[in-house]
Amino acid sequence: MKYTYRTNGVCAMEINFNLDGDVVSDVSFLGGCNGNLKAVSKLVDGMTVEQIEEKLKGNTCGPRPTSCADQLARAVREAYNSEHAG
């Protein structure tokens, strides 16, 4: 299923991705550091929600308490949880 996540506290405005079970694919960011976020998108393609969380959750950007990578980890977990709720 296709998801769009509105970010909070980072330069990227939103993250778009597909979630099939727990596997994430086709990640793209709107805004942010274009080259770095294209690389992150390629690196996480085919990873599970848990793998993305293990690698990216808690990463910060400068003085911010979050980063685009951390926001991606939050986004995929939120999408996964919403699919498997109740």
Side-chain angles (χ1 to χ4, degrees), residues 3-10 12 14-17 19 24 27 29 40 44 48-61 63-83:
Y3 287 92
T4 297
Y5 180 83
R6 297 278 180 186
T7 60
N8 186 23
V10 296
E14 70 181 33
I15 306 169
N16 298 289
F17 58 94
L19 185 62
V24 177
V27 177
F29 291 80
V40 168
V44 301
T48 65
V49 170
E50 186 174 328
Q51 289 172 322
I52 291 172
E53 282 183 318
E54 287 174 5
K55 298 284 185 193
L56 303 179
K57 187 175 180 185
N59 282 293
T60 60
C61 183
R64 296 180 181 122
T66 188
S67 67
C68 292
D70 179 60
Q71 291 288 297
L72 174 60
R74 294 176 191 208
V76 298
R77 173 53 67 189
E78 183 178 292
Y80 180 84
N81 287 349
S82 73
E83 279 192 2

